[in-house]
Amino acid sequence: MAALGSLRNVDHIFVLTKGGPVGATDHLLYRVYTLGFEYFDFPAASALSLALLALLTLLALLALPRLERGVHYDA
């Protein structure tokens, strides 16, 4: 759940550091944004988006049985 929740921090990274010095605070969603809209490398951005979709689907499928049992996470 923490990994899924960490994906909500993209706007903070964008506003505060824009990836930081030499990509120190680079984030996967921020990388998709920079590839697509700054470098106009749409094929790489869409491939990375599909990889992110697969990763999020896997994380959600792993978390779903725990949520159905009533195990709650403190994030």
Side-chain angles (χ1 to χ4, degrees):
M1 294 303 287
L4 291 172
S6 71
L7 294 172
R8 294 184 295 196
N9 295 328
V10 174
D11 54 346
H12 298 115
I13 293 169
F14 179 73
V15 169
L16 294 173
T17 65
K18 291 194 178 185
V22 193
T25 58
D26 207 358
H27 198 274
L28 190 57
L29 285 176
Y30 183 69
R31 175 56 87 186
V32 169
Y33 169 78
T34 56
L35 281 174
F37 295 109
E38 289 183 13
Y39 301 122
F40 299 107
D41 190 3
F42 297 117
S46 63
L48 195 56
S49 295
L50 287 176
L52 180 64
L53 176 67
L55 176 69
L56 289 176
T57 303
L58 179 69
L59 287 174
L61 289 175
L62 289 174
L64 190 62
R66 291 187 177 124
L67 290 174
E68 287 177 349
R69 286 192 310 237
V71 176
H72 298 285
Y73 299 95
D74 294 329

